[in-house]
Amino acid sequence: MSPSNLTSLTPDTFILTGIPGMEQLHVWISIPFCSMYVAALLGNGVLLLTIWAERSLHQPMYLFLAMLAVADLTLSTTAVPKMLALFWFRAGEISFGACLTQMFFLHFTSMAESKILLAMAFDRFVAICFPLRYGAVLTPSTVAKTGLAALLRSFCIIFPCIFLLRRLPFCGHNVVPHTYCEHIGVARLACADISANVWYGLAVPFSVALLDLTLIAVSYGFILLALSRLPSRSARRKALHTCGSHVCVLLLFYVPAIFTALTQRFGRRVPPQAHILLANLYVLFPPLLNPLVYGVRTQQIRDKVVKVLARP
């Protein structure tokens, strides 16, 4: 087929259908989703305001936390407003370009967040295992370069997905059984071989995320080993308390992300409703719970939030 014919088979718009089989419940489902989204906006917004306003929080640990809050806000805002428009007004139509843009920022943000979580684990590793070298290793320049590296790595990994989708002919198929555009869900509408999309979409991002998770596990292995050697029980408890917050955030991010990725590609027996509901919660739960986990479990952040909100 000639390139001109392939171009003519690219749809002008896609139609997002929402959650298949639960269309009558869309308005009711939107209530908790909207509530979680608003709470995520408020929680991450307060966290960012507190870190920006308090100079005592301009430290690597809290700067990485600010990056995480920005990633969470981007992740949820990329998907949820369109999702709510679909639920409330049946506005499921989305242009081909907007669909690719939404897909790019969803996957791009997920990859960036994985890198930020790795940076946070490394921060705790240096702080606990090499406390005397912490200031020399994690300088402001290092923090900035880490954030830039997270953006560049994510861009290089996800941008090829745009070309993999644009090369596909769709033969008039433009109905996406989902609440937002994601790579494999859109690729499955094509009337051509999508094996390159499937293998690239699984192998590259999944292997990178798995590498991040492995390095995080190694970091926490060294951290636990160092904590076991601390003579002071109070110091050991304080360090474990801080690391516990990080572990909670890791579980909130990686467990649904890995399950969603695997069921999208291999979970033929998983009901589509279950998969799509979990995919929606993936863009809502981490942004909602991350600021709560850090706000509740980190005394310094909790105190500074109260101080900032109490200002006239």
Side-chain angles (χ1 to χ4, degrees):
M1 188 177 291
S2 67
S4 61
N5 289 337
L6 286 176
T7 303
S8 67
L9 293 177
T10 300
D12 293 328
T13 61
F14 285 111
I15 305 297
L16 299 169
T17 62
I19 305 174
M22 302 180 71
E23 290 83 0
Q24 301 302 318
L25 299 175
H26 277 176
V27 173
W28 295 104
I29 294 172
S30 71
I31 296 174
F33 281 12
C34 182
S35 301
M36 286 189 285
Y37 177 58
V38 171
L41 291 180
L42 290 174
N44 286 284
V46 169
L47 191 61
L48 286 171
L49 176 63
T50 302
I51 294 173
W52 175 78
E54 289 295 322
R55 288 191 172 275
S56 62
L57 297 181
H58 293 180
Q59 303 173 27
M61 173 183 172
Y62 303 110
L63 294 177
F64 287 135
L65 182 54
M67 293 180 192
L68 184 67
V70 172
D72 282 338
L73 288 174
T74 305
L75 180 66
S76 58
T77 302
T78 300
V80 178
K82 181 61 180 178
M83 183 195 309
L84 294 177
L86 168 63
F87 287 166
W88 290 339
F89 311 114
R90 298 184 180 179
E93 186 173 291
I94 183 171
S95 69
F96 182 73
C99 185
L100 294 187
T101 302
Q102 185 185 57
M103 180 216 74
F104 171 79
F105 277 103
L106 280 169
H107 298 312
F108 170 84
T109 307
S110 295
M111 284 288 97
E113 191 157 337
S114 179
K115 178 71 173 180
I116 293 167
L117 291 172
L118 173 59
M120 294 174 74
F122 180 73
D123 170 85
R124 291 299 86 201
F125 165 72
V126 177
I128 293 172
C129 298
F130 303 99
L132 298 180
R133 299 179 59 187
Y134 182 79
V137 174
L138 285 162
T139 62
S141 174
T142 301
V143 174
K145 289 177 182 177
T146 301
L148 181 60
L151 296 177
L152 290 176
R153 188 190 73 163
S154 302
F155 181 85
C156 293
I157 292 171
I158 302 302
F159 195 66
C161 294
I162 300 293
F163 292 100
L164 289 173
L165 283 176
R166 291 191 65 89
R167 70 182 180 85
L168 295 173
F170 289 89
C171 307
H173 301 151
N174 68 338
V175 178
V176 182
H178 211 302
T179 55
Y180 55 78
C181 296
E182 59 88 33
H183 180 210
I184 298 301
V186 174
R188 282 181 175 161
L189 300 178
C191 50
D193 180 24
I194 63 167
S195 57
N197 296 72
V198 172
W199 287 112
Y200 184 89
L202 176 66
V204 177
F206 192 78
S207 60
V208 170
L210 189 61
L211 175 62
D212 288 348
L213 193 55
T214 301
L215 293 175
I216 290 170
V218 171
S219 297
Y220 278 101
F222 283 115
I223 288 172
L224 291 175
L225 183 62
L227 291 179
S228 66
R229 297 172 178 171
L230 287 178
S232 171
R233 180 174 297 181
S234 61
R236 191 160 55 238
R237 187 183 300 112
K238 181 179 179 181
L240 283 171
H241 190 272
T242 302
C243 292
S245 300
H246 291 247
V247 172
C248 289
V249 170
L250 290 170
L251 293 175
L252 287 172
F253 176 77
Y254 281 107
V255 172
I258 291 173
F259 183 81
T260 300
L262 293 178
T263 54
Q264 178 68 21
R265 291 157 178 81
F266 305 116
R268 299 294 184 180
R269 296 183 181 179
V270 177
Q273 298 93 329
H275 164 70
I276 295 173
L277 278 172
L278 183 63
N280 290 335
L281 293 177
Y282 168 67
V283 300
L284 282 165
F285 263 18
L288 170 67
L289 297 178
N290 285 352
L292 294 178
V293 168
Y294 282 104
V296 170
R297 294 183 61 91
T298 308
Q299 180 71 36
Q300 191 171 1
I301 291 180
R302 189 164 64 245
D303 293 342
K304 297 302 181 182
V305 166
V306 172
K307 180 181 176 181
V308 169
L309 295 181
R311 287 177 180 173

